[in-house]
Amino acid sequence: QVQLVQSGAEVKKPGASVKVSCKASGYIFTTYAMHWVRQAPGQRPEWMGWINADNGNTKYSQKFQGRVTFTRDTSASTAHMELSSLRSEDTAVYYCARGRDSSGVFGYWGQGTLVTVSS
Amino acid sequence: DIQMTQSPSSLSASAGDRVTITCRASQGITSDLGWYQQKPGKAPKRLIFAASSLQSGVPSRFSGSGSGTEYTLTITSLQPEDFATYYCLQYNTYPWTFGQGTKVELK
């Protein structure tokens, strides 16, 4: 069965960077894009962008352009999201979600990684 | 960016009730719309894709409809496990955007 397992919670100081991992299993990793979505406390989810797991091409939301980097390690079936210059407003749960399939998008999600930015 | 305006933001209902949630897009999205259910502390779960197609394994009491800029999620005969927050998502135009959510609470 498809599973996306993310790395654990992080606490960071303002100005620091954070890197979240998402390990995929149960399917061929390079077949689907991996998206990243974040959700601040009590807020709607917010789409951050995606990475083509096959060739590594990326598409970032303009809101995060220049501050976020998506990478992937095909040998480990793992996608990574790095966000830099953290500020308190970046405190959120960060999710990876598998991209488009025959039934639309985001059919599979990771369990989420809480990133807390606090001095 | 395409704005997704979801209504109502919350509603109180009883088990067995029929519930309707609406999402209005600020421009046409040609049915590139999904509906997701989220329970506290959990990731969203896909219910509907392409505006009206039911995700495999999702009960048939959930249905979606709409076109152009207006879309609806209907839950017939609300069950106890359906009390949750529901979000629409447009995936027609980048950046993909979610509605603000509808919290369905027990009356």
Short mmCIF file of all heavy atoms in Angstrom, two decimals, chain B residues 55-96:
data_model
loop_
_atom_site.label_atom_id
_atom_site.label_comp_id
_atom_site.label_asym_id
_atom_site.label_seq_id
_atom_site.Cartn_x
_atom_site.Cartn_y
_atom_site.Cartn_z
N GLN B 55 -14.07 9.38 -5.01
CA GLN B 55 -12.86 8.61 -4.75
C GLN B 55 -13.24 7.19 -4.36
O GLN B 55 -14.18 6.98 -3.58
CB GLN B 55 -12.06 9.29 -3.62
CG GLN B 55 -10.93 8.48 -3.06
CD GLN B 55 -9.76 8.37 -4.01
OE1 GLN B 55 -9.51 9.25 -4.83
NE2 GLN B 55 -9.03 7.26 -3.93
N SER B 56 -12.51 6.22 -4.89
CA SER B 56 -12.75 4.83 -4.53
C SER B 56 -12.68 4.64 -3.02
O SER B 56 -11.79 5.15 -2.36
CB SER B 56 -11.69 3.96 -5.21
OG SER B 56 -11.81 2.62 -4.78
N GLY B 57 -13.68 3.92 -2.48
CA GLY B 57 -13.70 3.64 -1.06
C GLY B 57 -14.45 4.66 -0.23
O GLY B 57 -14.70 4.43 0.96
N VAL B 58 -14.81 5.77 -0.83
CA VAL B 58 -15.56 6.82 -0.12
C VAL B 58 -17.05 6.49 -0.22
O VAL B 58 -17.55 6.16 -1.30
CB VAL B 58 -15.26 8.20 -0.71
CG1 VAL B 58 -16.17 9.27 -0.10
CG2 VAL B 58 -13.79 8.56 -0.47
N PRO B 59 -17.77 6.60 0.90
CA PRO B 59 -19.21 6.24 0.87
C PRO B 59 -20.00 7.07 -0.13
O PRO B 59 -19.72 8.25 -0.35
CB PRO B 59 -19.66 6.54 2.31
CG PRO B 59 -18.43 6.44 3.13
CD PRO B 59 -17.32 6.93 2.26
N SER B 60 -21.02 6.46 -0.69
CA SER B 60 -21.81 7.11 -1.74
C SER B 60 -22.70 8.23 -1.21
O SER B 60 -23.33 8.93 -2.01
CB SER B 60 -22.65 6.06 -2.47
OG SER B 60 -23.53 5.42 -1.55
N ARG B 61 -22.75 8.42 0.10
CA ARG B 61 -23.51 9.56 0.62
C ARG B 61 -22.81 10.89 0.31
O ARG B 61 -23.39 11.95 0.45
CB ARG B 61 -23.74 9.45 2.14
CG ARG B 61 -22.50 9.42 2.98
CD ARG B 61 -22.87 9.28 4.46
NE ARG B 61 -21.68 9.24 5.31
CZ ARG B 61 -21.02 8.13 5.60
NH1 ARG B 61 -21.44 6.96 5.13
NH2 ARG B 61 -19.95 8.18 6.38
N PHE B 62 -21.55 10.82 -0.09
CA PHE B 62 -20.81 12.01 -0.53
C PHE B 62 -20.97 12.15 -2.05
O PHE B 62 -20.82 11.19 -2.80
CB PHE B 62 -19.32 11.88 -0.22
CG PHE B 62 -19.00 11.93 1.25
CD1 PHE B 62 -18.91 10.76 1.99
CD2 PHE B 62 -18.79 13.15 1.89
CE1 PHE B 62 -18.61 10.79 3.34
CE2 PHE B 62 -18.49 13.19 3.25
CZ PHE B 62 -18.41 12.01 3.97
N SER B 63 -21.27 13.38 -2.47
CA SER B 63 -21.32 13.64 -3.90
C SER B 63 -20.89 15.06 -4.19
O SER B 63 -21.00 15.95 -3.33
CB SER B 63 -22.73 13.40 -4.46
OG SER B 63 -23.64 14.31 -3.91
N GLY B 64 -20.39 15.27 -5.39
CA GLY B 64 -19.96 16.59 -5.81
C GLY B 64 -20.63 16.97 -7.11
O GLY B 64 -20.97 16.10 -7.92
N SER B 65 -20.79 18.26 -7.29
CA SER B 65 -21.38 18.75 -8.54
C SER B 65 -20.84 20.13 -8.82
O SER B 65 -20.16 20.74 -7.98
CB SER B 65 -22.90 18.77 -8.46
OG SER B 65 -23.33 19.69 -7.47
N GLY B 66 -21.18 20.64 -9.98
CA GLY B 66 -20.81 22.00 -10.33
C GLY B 66 -20.01 22.10 -11.60
O GLY B 66 -19.58 21.09 -12.17
N SER B 67 -19.81 23.33 -12.01
CA SER B 67 -19.03 23.61 -13.21
C SER B 67 -18.68 25.09 -13.20
O SER B 67 -19.23 25.86 -12.40
CB SER B 67 -19.82 23.27 -14.48
OG SER B 67 -20.98 24.06 -14.56
N GLY B 68 -17.78 25.45 -14.09
CA GLY B 68 -17.42 26.86 -14.19
C GLY B 68 -16.77 27.39 -12.93
O GLY B 68 -15.62 27.06 -12.63
N THR B 69 -17.50 28.20 -12.20
CA THR B 69 -16.96 28.81 -10.99
C THR B 69 -17.65 28.33 -9.71
O THR B 69 -17.22 28.71 -8.62
CB THR B 69 -17.06 30.35 -11.06
OG1 THR B 69 -18.44 30.71 -11.15
CG2 THR B 69 -16.28 30.91 -12.24
N GLU B 70 -18.71 27.56 -9.80
CA GLU B 70 -19.46 27.18 -8.61
C GLU B 70 -19.57 25.66 -8.45
O GLU B 70 -19.98 24.96 -9.37
CB GLU B 70 -20.86 27.80 -8.63
CG GLU B 70 -21.58 27.67 -7.32
CD GLU B 70 -22.40 28.91 -6.96
OE1 GLU B 70 -22.10 30.00 -7.49
OE2 GLU B 70 -23.35 28.76 -6.18
N TYR B 71 -19.18 25.20 -7.27
CA TYR B 71 -19.11 23.77 -6.99
C TYR B 71 -19.71 23.46 -5.63
O TYR B 71 -19.66 24.29 -4.72
CB TYR B 71 -17.65 23.30 -7.06
CG TYR B 71 -17.05 23.54 -8.42
CD1 TYR B 71 -16.46 24.76 -8.75
CD2 TYR B 71 -17.13 22.56 -9.41
CE1 TYR B 71 -15.96 25.00 -10.01
CE2 TYR B 71 -16.62 22.79 -10.68
CZ TYR B 71 -16.04 24.00 -10.97
OH TYR B 71 -15.55 24.23 -12.23
N THR B 72 -20.26 22.26 -5.53
CA THR B 72 -20.98 21.87 -4.32
C THR B 72 -20.58 20.48 -3.88
O THR B 72 -20.42 19.57 -4.71
CB THR B 72 -22.49 21.91 -4.57
OG1 THR B 72 -22.88 23.24 -4.92
CG2 THR B 72 -23.26 21.50 -3.33
N LEU B 73 -20.41 20.34 -2.57
CA LEU B 73 -20.26 19.02 -1.94
C LEU B 73 -21.53 18.77 -1.13
O LEU B 73 -21.95 19.61 -0.35
CB LEU B 73 -19.05 19.00 -1.01
CG LEU B 73 -18.88 17.73 -0.16
CD1 LEU B 73 -18.48 16.54 -1.03
CD2 LEU B 73 -17.85 17.94 0.95
N THR B 74 -22.13 17.62 -1.34
CA THR B 74 -23.34 17.25 -0.61
C THR B 74 -23.09 15.96 0.16
O THR B 74 -22.50 15.02 -0.38
CB THR B 74 -24.53 17.06 -1.56
OG1 THR B 74 -24.78 18.29 -2.25
CG2 THR B 74 -25.78 16.66 -0.79
N ILE B 75 -23.51 15.97 1.39
CA ILE B 75 -23.48 14.76 2.21
C ILE B 75 -24.92 14.44 2.57
O ILE B 75 -25.59 15.24 3.23
CB ILE B 75 -22.66 14.93 3.50
CG1 ILE B 75 -21.30 15.58 3.22
CG2 ILE B 75 -22.47 13.57 4.19
CD1 ILE B 75 -20.54 15.99 4.48
N THR B 76 -25.41 13.33 2.08
CA THR B 76 -26.77 12.92 2.42
C THR B 76 -26.67 12.03 3.66
O THR B 76 -25.74 11.25 3.79
CB THR B 76 -27.42 12.15 1.28
OG1 THR B 76 -26.61 11.00 0.98
CG2 THR B 76 -27.54 13.01 0.03
N SER B 77 -27.60 12.19 4.57
CA SER B 77 -27.65 11.36 5.76
C SER B 77 -26.30 11.33 6.50
O SER B 77 -25.59 10.32 6.52
CB SER B 77 -28.06 9.93 5.41
OG SER B 77 -28.33 9.18 6.59
N LEU B 78 -25.99 12.46 7.10
CA LEU B 78 -24.73 12.66 7.83
C LEU B 78 -24.53 11.56 8.89
O LEU B 78 -25.46 11.22 9.64
CB LEU B 78 -24.79 14.02 8.51
CG LEU B 78 -23.51 14.71 8.89
CD1 LEU B 78 -22.66 15.05 7.67
CD2 LEU B 78 -23.84 15.99 9.66
N GLN B 79 -23.33 11.00 8.91
CA GLN B 79 -22.99 9.96 9.88
C GLN B 79 -22.04 10.53 10.94
O GLN B 79 -21.35 11.53 10.68
CB GLN B 79 -22.33 8.78 9.16
CG GLN B 79 -23.25 8.09 8.17
CD GLN B 79 -24.50 7.55 8.82
OE1 GLN B 79 -24.43 6.69 9.72
NE2 GLN B 79 -25.67 8.02 8.39
N PRO B 80 -21.97 9.91 12.13
CA PRO B 80 -21.10 10.44 13.19
C PRO B 80 -19.66 10.65 12.74
O PRO B 80 -19.02 11.61 13.17
CB PRO B 80 -21.20 9.36 14.28
CG PRO B 80 -22.53 8.73 14.06
CD PRO B 80 -22.75 8.74 12.57
N GLU B 81 -19.16 9.79 11.87
CA GLU B 81 -17.76 9.91 11.43
C GLU B 81 -17.54 11.03 10.43
O GLU B 81 -16.41 11.30 10.03
CB GLU B 81 -17.27 8.57 10.84
CG GLU B 81 -18.04 8.08 9.65
CD GLU B 81 -19.19 7.13 10.00
OE1 GLU B 81 -19.75 7.29 11.11
OE2 GLU B 81 -19.51 6.26 9.16
N ASP B 82 -18.63 11.69 10.00
CA ASP B 82 -18.51 12.76 9.01
C ASP B 82 -18.27 14.12 9.65
O ASP B 82 -18.05 15.11 8.94
CB ASP B 82 -19.78 12.84 8.15
CG ASP B 82 -20.06 11.54 7.40
OD1 ASP B 82 -19.10 10.77 7.18
OD2 ASP B 82 -21.23 11.32 7.04
N PHE B 83 -18.32 14.20 10.96
CA PHE B 83 -18.08 15.48 11.62
C PHE B 83 -16.58 15.78 11.52
O PHE B 83 -15.74 15.08 12.08
CB PHE B 83 -18.60 15.45 13.06
CG PHE B 83 -20.10 15.38 13.11
CD1 PHE B 83 -20.75 14.16 13.28
CD2 PHE B 83 -20.87 16.52 12.93
CE1 PHE B 83 -22.13 14.08 13.29
CE2 PHE B 83 -22.26 16.44 12.94
CZ PHE B 83 -22.90 15.22 13.12
N ALA B 84 -16.29 16.82 10.76
CA ALA B 84 -14.91 17.12 10.37
C ALA B 84 -14.91 18.48 9.67
O ALA B 84 -15.95 19.15 9.58
CB ALA B 84 -14.39 16.05 9.41
N THR B 85 -13.74 18.89 9.18
CA THR B 85 -13.64 20.10 8.36
C THR B 85 -13.43 19.68 6.91
O THR B 85 -12.66 18.75 6.63
CB THR B 85 -12.49 20.98 8.85
OG1 THR B 85 -12.73 21.35 10.22
CG2 THR B 85 -12.38 22.25 8.01
N TYR B 86 -14.12 20.38 6.02
CA TYR B 86 -14.07 20.05 4.60
C TYR B 86 -13.46 21.23 3.84
O TYR B 86 -13.78 22.40 4.11
CB TYR B 86 -15.48 19.75 4.08
CG TYR B 86 -16.02 18.49 4.70
CD1 TYR B 86 -16.65 18.52 5.94
CD2 TYR B 86 -15.87 17.26 4.06
CE1 TYR B 86 -17.12 17.35 6.54
CE2 TYR B 86 -16.33 16.09 4.64
CZ TYR B 86 -16.94 16.14 5.88
OH TYR B 86 -17.39 14.98 6.48
N TYR B 87 -12.57 20.90 2.91
CA TYR B 87 -11.92 21.92 2.08
C TYR B 87 -12.10 21.58 0.60
O TYR B 87 -12.03 20.40 0.21
CB TYR B 87 -10.41 21.94 2.34
CG TYR B 87 -10.01 22.39 3.72
CD1 TYR B 87 -9.70 21.47 4.71
CD2 TYR B 87 -9.91 23.75 4.03
CE1 TYR B 87 -9.31 21.88 5.98
CE2 TYR B 87 -9.53 24.16 5.30
CZ TYR B 87 -9.23 23.22 6.27
OH TYR B 87 -8.85 23.64 7.52
N CYS B 88 -12.29 22.62 -0.20
CA CYS B 88 -12.19 22.45 -1.64
C CYS B 88 -10.79 22.87 -2.06
O CYS B 88 -10.13 23.65 -1.38
CB CYS B 88 -13.25 23.25 -2.38
SG CYS B 88 -13.18 25.04 -2.11
N LEU B 89 -10.34 22.34 -3.19
CA LEU B 89 -9.03 22.68 -3.75
C LEU B 89 -9.19 22.83 -5.24
O LEU B 89 -9.72 21.93 -5.91
CB LEU B 89 -8.03 21.57 -3.46
CG LEU B 89 -6.75 21.57 -4.33
CD1 LEU B 89 -5.84 22.73 -3.96
CD2 LEU B 89 -6.01 20.24 -4.22
N GLN B 90 -8.71 23.96 -5.79
CA GLN B 90 -8.66 24.09 -7.25
C GLN B 90 -7.25 23.76 -7.71
O GLN B 90 -6.27 24.26 -7.16
CB GLN B 90 -9.14 25.46 -7.73
CG GLN B 90 -8.23 26.64 -7.46
CD GLN B 90 -7.06 26.77 -8.44
OE1 GLN B 90 -7.04 26.19 -9.53
NE2 GLN B 90 -6.05 27.54 -8.04
N TYR B 91 -7.16 22.90 -8.73
CA TYR B 91 -5.85 22.55 -9.27
C TYR B 91 -5.82 22.83 -10.77
O TYR B 91 -5.18 22.12 -11.54
CB TYR B 91 -5.49 21.10 -8.95
CG TYR B 91 -6.54 20.06 -9.23
CD1 TYR B 91 -6.60 19.40 -10.45
CD2 TYR B 91 -7.48 19.71 -8.25
CE1 TYR B 91 -7.55 18.43 -10.70
CE2 TYR B 91 -8.45 18.75 -8.49
CZ TYR B 91 -8.48 18.11 -9.72
OH TYR B 91 -9.43 17.15 -9.95
N ASN B 92 -6.51 23.90 -11.15
CA ASN B 92 -6.53 24.32 -12.55
C ASN B 92 -5.39 25.25 -12.88
O ASN B 92 -4.80 25.16 -13.97
CB ASN B 92 -7.88 25.01 -12.83
CG ASN B 92 -7.99 25.51 -14.25
OD1 ASN B 92 -7.73 26.69 -14.52
ND2 ASN B 92 -8.37 24.63 -15.17
N THR B 93 -5.10 26.15 -11.96
CA THR B 93 -4.13 27.22 -12.22
C THR B 93 -3.21 27.37 -11.03
O THR B 93 -3.66 27.40 -9.88
CB THR B 93 -4.88 28.55 -12.47
OG1 THR B 93 -5.76 28.38 -13.59
CG2 THR B 93 -3.90 29.68 -12.76
N TYR B 94 -1.91 27.53 -11.31
CA TYR B 94 -0.96 27.79 -10.22
C TYR B 94 -1.07 29.23 -9.74
O TYR B 94 -1.26 30.13 -10.55
CB TYR B 94 0.47 27.55 -10.70
CG TYR B 94 0.79 26.11 -11.03
CD1 TYR B 94 1.31 25.76 -12.27
CD2 TYR B 94 0.58 25.09 -10.09
CE1 TYR B 94 1.60 24.44 -12.58
CE2 TYR B 94 0.88 23.78 -10.39
CZ TYR B 94 1.39 23.45 -11.63
OH TYR B 94 1.68 22.14 -11.93
N PRO B 95 -0.95 29.48 -8.45
CA PRO B 95 -0.80 28.48 -7.39
C PRO B 95 -2.12 27.80 -7.08
O PRO B 95 -3.17 28.45 -7.06
CB PRO B 95 -0.33 29.32 -6.20
CG PRO B 95 -0.97 30.66 -6.43
CD PRO B 95 -0.98 30.86 -7.91
N TRP B 96 -2.08 26.50 -6.85
CA TRP B 96 -3.28 25.79 -6.44
C TRP B 96 -3.75 26.38 -5.12
O TRP B 96 -2.91 26.72 -4.26
CB TRP B 96 -3.00 24.31 -6.30
CG TRP B 96 -2.66 23.65 -7.60
CD1 TRP B 96 -2.62 24.22 -8.84
CD2 TRP B 96 -2.32 22.27 -7.79
NE1 TRP B 96 -2.26 23.28 -9.79
CE2 TRP B 96 -2.09 22.08 -9.17
CE3 TRP B 96 -2.19 21.17 -6.93
CZ2 TRP B 96 -1.73 20.84 -9.71
CZ3 TRP B 96 -1.83 19.94 -7.46
CH2 TRP B 96 -1.61 19.78 -8.84
#
